[in-house]
Amino acid sequence: MPIAADDFDQLPEKALDLTEGSNAQIVLTFLSEHPDAAFRQNEIIEGTEVKAGSVGPVLSRLEERGLVRHKGKYWTIGEDDRLASYAAMAQTFATADERFPDEDMGEWLEHAENPYDEHSEDK
């Protein structure tokens, strides 16, 4: 979906894509589903099926925004309060998708406000 040129000009250089199906969204959802665990990159790759060459850069960008943290070779979900909301939203959409299989959850998500959107009005 295209955006306005004015919106493009206001995007930060390292905008993080958390749209449905993006690698960042998939990795963040995986980690938020396991808040009491820390994973090595290869375990994140296996758990998400995101390509190996993409996981490292995605984790680095998520870490820059405080959404994940790591020590040594292990990565886990960050401690930001927004992440609890994100995890709850992800679980809600997963449940809704199971209960209402004829609904297009992607269309719902297009109209949902993303609290992590760096050019959101709330920031």
Side-chain angles (χ1 to χ4, degrees):
M1 180 163 101
I3 62 172
D6 290 340
D7 291 339
F8 172 81
D9 290 336
Q10 294 178 22
L11 283 174
E13 287 295 317
K14 295 183 179 181
L16 182 62
D17 181 13
L18 285 179
T19 57
E20 182 69 22
S22 69
N23 289 340
Q25 185 268 335
I26 292 168
V27 169
L28 190 61
T29 298
F30 174 77
L31 292 174
S32 69
E33 290 172 347
H34 304 90
D36 297 327
F39 299 89
R40 290 177 179 234
Q41 282 191 27
N42 66 330
E43 295 167 327
I44 295 170
I45 293 164
E46 291 172 11
T48 62
E49 298 183 3
V50 171
K51 292 182 180 180
S54 297
V55 170
V58 165
L59 288 169
S60 293
R61 289 193 311 266
L62 290 170
E63 183 180 32
E64 286 174 6
R65 286 153 182 83
L67 300 175
V68 300
R69 17 184 209 122
H70 89 282
K71 289 184 181 179
K73 296 181 180 183
Y74 290 92
W75 295 83
T76 190
I77 197 74
E79 295 179 336
D80 192 314
D81 290 340
R82 298 174 298 168
L83 294 169
S85 296
Y86 180 82
M89 181 187 75
Q91 185 58 47
T92 298
F93 278 110
T95 301
D97 196 34
E98 287 176 16
R99 295 180 98 189
F100 307 106
D102 295 333
E103 292 290 328
D104 182 1
M105 292 300 137
E107 186 175 320
W108 287 44
L109 286 171
E110 281 183 26
H111 300 288
E113 184 173 331
N114 183 347
Y116 305 108
D117 186 354
E118 292 192 18
H119 61 280
S120 173
E121 294 177 16
D122 295 337
K123 292 212 168 196

